[in-house]
Amino acid sequence: MLKIQDNLAVHYEREGYAAPLRALDPGTARGYRAALELHEARHGSLSKPHRNNPHLLFGWADRLIREPKILSAVSALLGDNLLVWGSTLFIKEPHDPGFISWHQDSTYWGLDPADVVTAWVALTDSRMDNGALCVLPKSHKMDQMPHRDTFAETNMLSRGQEIAVEVNPDETVALELEPGEMSLHHVRMVHGSGPNGSDRRRIGFAIRYLPTHVRQVSGQSDTATLVQGIDAFQNFGPERRPEQDFGEAERAFHAEIERLQHSIILNGPGADAR
């Protein structure tokens, strides 16, 4: 395992990703999964909109984006003043055909400069047979690449977006993780994942971190959550922490943010769903 103290920043700068890193102890990871599955048992599976930005809906998800080991690793790359610009639960059920096409996150997010790190935290094991995240090393050094929108039914991205060039699978790396481990990847990293062909659930929690100097340049207002340090720039409107899991006020605020982000992603300047 790559240790956080073992030149994390050097490795990340060279390759565009770092994995595996320990984010949570296994018991804590089981606790977060249990909190999600308790909600599912009571209310049914989360809808696609509610899988976006669960940190605005659930106290456990709000705590997860502030986990000390995650913030320590991200701070080594971005500095001490950190915002969270969205989170997503990527859930692939057993034998789920859902996949994520090869893409760059920077395509439609409208964030400048491209100082954005995604922490992908495994709440279950994530392996090739159940749809692990794969990356194209060093692709973060490329410019923004052209994408085409497919809106494919089984594509888990907002627009079914994929890069308009071929990716050689032999050049990619699978970021296989145990529960509680995470990967970090750059906003321009070419990445994707296949369907879940196993009998196991695959649950990943993606968190998008950015330093407070980053701006939204799509021409629309935007929001983010301050999770560490101070925000001297105030480029994003503040977000409210949930006081009650899936409460009425939390769902209303979440819906407001979803409408805003949907507008940015579908109309913004140019990649996966938030």
Side-chain angles (χ1 to χ4, degrees):
M1 178 182 295
L2 177 69
K3 303 296 185 183
I4 288 179
Q5 63 267 29
D6 292 344
N7 297 314
L8 170 64
V10 173
H11 180 91
Y12 179 86
E13 172 62 25
R14 182 181 68 246
E15 302 294 331
Y17 74 95
L21 299 167
R22 175 56 62 182
L24 313 166
D25 65 69
T28 301
R30 287 193 298 271
Y32 282 127
R33 177 180 179 178
L36 165 64
E37 294 183 334
L38 178 61
H39 175 85
E40 292 175 322
R42 291 174 172 173
H43 302 281
S45 298
L46 284 174
S47 66
K48 186 172 182 178
H50 289 150
R51 294 185 187 193
N52 284 332
N53 295 314
H55 69 283
L56 302 178
L57 291 169
F58 301 104
W60 64 264
D62 176 71
R63 292 190 295 276
L64 179 48
I65 67 173
R66 304 168 195 272
E67 280 284 346
K69 288 183 180 178
I70 301 176
L71 295 180
S72 176
V74 175
S75 294
L77 307 178
L78 298 180
D80 294 332
N81 300 317
L82 297 174
L83 296 166
V84 164
W85 186 83
S87 63
T88 301
L89 276 163
F90 285 110
I91 302 173
K92 295 181 182 177
E93 302 295 349
H95 305 287
D96 188 337
F99 72 100
I100 294 176
S101 50
W102 295 111
H103 68 285
Q104 293 170 300
D105 287 338
S106 53
T107 308
Y108 303 110
W109 285 3
L111 300 173
D112 184 70
D115 298 334
V116 184
V117 171
T118 294
W120 200 101
V121 184
L123 300 186
T124 65
D125 69 305
S126 181
R127 306 229 169 248
M128 281 302 291
D129 70 333
N130 67 352
L133 178 69
C134 299
V135 299
L136 181 63
K138 299 181 174 64
S139 57
H140 68 302
K141 296 183 180 295
M142 302 177 185
D143 290 333
Q144 178 61 50
M145 303 172 70
H147 283 59
R148 52 180 171 249
D149 296 339
T150 70
F151 293 99
E153 183 178 355
T154 56
N155 195 316
M156 298 174 71
L157 301 183
S158 55
R159 305 165 61 133
Q161 57 264 32
E162 62 182 15
I163 59 173
V165 296
E166 293 297 320
V167 174
N168 183 351
D170 293 338
E171 297 177 354
T172 65
V173 174
L175 304 186
E176 295 190 313
L177 303 172
E178 296 296 329
E181 292 181 341
M182 69 175 175
S183 61
L184 303 175
H185 68 262
H186 189 276
V187 72
R188 287 222 171 102
M189 169 66 62
V190 173
H191 63 290
S193 65
N196 182 356
S198 78
D199 295 326
R200 311 183 311 282
R201 294 189 98 186
R202 195 223 66 173
I203 306 173
F205 192 96
I207 314 165
R208 285 76 184 212
Y209 291 97
L210 57 157
T212 53
H213 66 261
V214 171
R215 300 172 300 128
Q216 174 57 253
V217 296
S218 69
Q220 303 177 76
S221 60
D222 204 353
T223 63
T225 292
L226 182 68
V227 291
Q228 182 172 278
I230 59 172
D231 182 3
F233 295 89
Q234 301 292 310
N235 291 328
F236 296 84
E239 295 176 338
R240 297 200 302 264
R241 301 183 69 170
E243 296 181 3
Q244 178 182 350
D245 281 356
F246 212 60
E248 183 177 350
E250 285 73 15
R251 281 179 282 138
F253 180 67
H254 178 272
E256 176 185 338
I257 300 304
E258 278 299 292
R259 285 191 294 271
L260 170 63
Q261 294 177 353
H262 185 75
S263 176
I264 291 170
I265 290 172
L266 289 187
N267 301 302
D272 64 61
R274 286 185 58 182

